[in-house]
Amino acid sequence: MDAWIWGAVVLAIVLVAAGGIAWWLARGCMLTRIGATGAIVGGVLSLIALVVLLDPDAGLRAAAVITVGSGVWLLAWALAGGIRGQRLLRAEERADAAAAPVAPVVVASRQLPAG
């Protein structure tokens, strides 16, 4: 049973670390920061469940449910932030391409008007 509890503790710590890394990499993306916050809170709650609950089986079950839920939460929000970031980048590229001036075309040393 001790190996299971230590495994759950390590997974909870890894979840907190993953949330911290996601927060650090978010660069202001609120969607990713929501996921990171949920992962950090879930990891801490998982550790609390392991310590506070008197029955080790109940603590392991609660920690497993909280850890899996927090991991899925982080994944979903990080994917949503990444998809939103890609869409914003593509829209920005299209706007830059539309606003770019058209260079005049030179044919046989004669300059033609742009367009």
Side-chain angles (χ1 to χ4, degrees):
M1 186 61 80
D2 285 338
W4 285 97
I5 290 176
W6 281 112
V9 167
V10 168
L11 283 175
I13 291 171
V14 167
L15 185 62
V16 170
I21 291 169
W23 181 277
W24 178 57
L25 292 174
R27 296 185 185 195
C29 177
M30 288 309 296
L31 295 176
T32 305
R33 285 193 174 177
I34 289 169
T37 303
I40 293 169
V41 169
V44 171
L45 286 177
S46 180
L47 286 171
I48 290 171
L50 289 169
V51 172
V52 171
L53 293 177
L54 298 176
D55 182 21
D57 289 336
L60 281 172
R61 277 189 235 112
V65 169
I66 294 169
T67 301
V68 169
S70 298
V72 170
W73 176 269
L74 173 61
L75 177 65
W77 283 100
L79 284 173
I83 291 168
R84 182 175 181 268
Q86 274 300 113
R87 287 182 180 166
L88 288 174
L89 180 65
R90 288 184 184 147
E92 197 174 286
E93 288 173 350
R94 282 192 300 267
D96 288 345
V102 178
V105 178
V106 177
V107 177
S109 73
R110 196 173 112 208
Q111 189 173 10
L112 298 175

